[in-house]
Amino acid sequence: MEKVNKESVEATSTSATCDDGTCGEMLAKGLSVPRVKELRESMEKLGCVTPKRFFACRPCENESIIAGFVYDGENKVVLCSDNIEKFNIKQEHVDRTLIHELIHAYDHCRAEMDWKNCLHIACSEIRAANLSGDCNMKAEFNRGNFGFKRQGEECVKRRAELSLTAHPQCKDIAKKAIETVLDSCMSDTAPFLFR
């Protein structure tokens, strides 16, 4: 994330780098979603702006992902244009995904996260699953998960563990890492006042 002064924020924080296709159109719409705007504004207040190339659409060539927060060197949120089109991903899913990835970016900004530390990653994954809408009733119903008792928390744990296992250094300890930080990270709703 770039640390810049307030004058730079206005000039750089609204543009996106994207292709001229479905992904680019969905990204443009997603950037106007209130939670996306709130996350970006909160990051700017912390001194981390989302410069014009912070958001990008590009082929990912990995069918298991729709997007990711790239944090090594070129901090940005990347939407996978090939998978969005191939799997006919809807706008609502793209919006949730943008929020999810921006929560990682927000955590990176506010906490100077160590992306090699499985507990740090676990906490960010828990927060992203909890705050993005990944585990709302409609999303869970569409996945075939119909439980009502503690369904939200179970979804957060399941999705955070799934994401954590994608990190090679965390694969064998994902479940334990999630359990270790679950309560404190579930209660951390920053920058949102409530869920």
Side-chain angles (χ1 to χ4, degrees), residues 6-7 13-14 25 35 40 47 105-106 111 130 134 160 164 178:
K6 178 94 170 107
E7 293 78 40
S13 64
T14 58
E25 293 168 9
R35 279 206 157 191
R40 292 178 76 197
Y106 177 85
N130 187 36
D134 284 349
L164 196 55
I178 297 298

Side-chain angles (χ1 to χ4, degrees), residues 36-105:
V36 169
K37 287 181 174 180
E38 185 175 352
L39 278 159
R40 292 178 76 197
E41 289 167 3
S42 295
M43 288 171 61
E44 289 171 1
K45 287 177 186 172
L46 293 172
C48 298
V49 297
T50 52
K52 78 163 75 167
R53 290 190 314 240
F54 188 79
F55 298 93
C57 285
R58 65 180 181 219
C60 294
E61 299 174 5
N62 178 343
E63 291 188 356
S64 67
I65 60 172
I66 299 300
F69 171 57
V70 180
Y71 49 83
D72 284 338
E74 61 161 339
N75 297 318
K76 65 172 48 184
V77 172
V78 176
L79 293 178
C80 300
S81 57
D82 49 350
N83 294 338
I84 287 173
E85 293 191 28
K86 181 175 184 176
F87 298 110
N88 196 27
I89 302 299
K90 304 291 184 223
Q91 184 68 49
E92 181 179 355
H93 189 156
V94 170
D95 297 346
R96 278 196 323 264
T97 301
L98 282 170
I99 295 165
H100 180 110
E101 300 307 334
L102 277 168
I103 289 168
H104 293 317

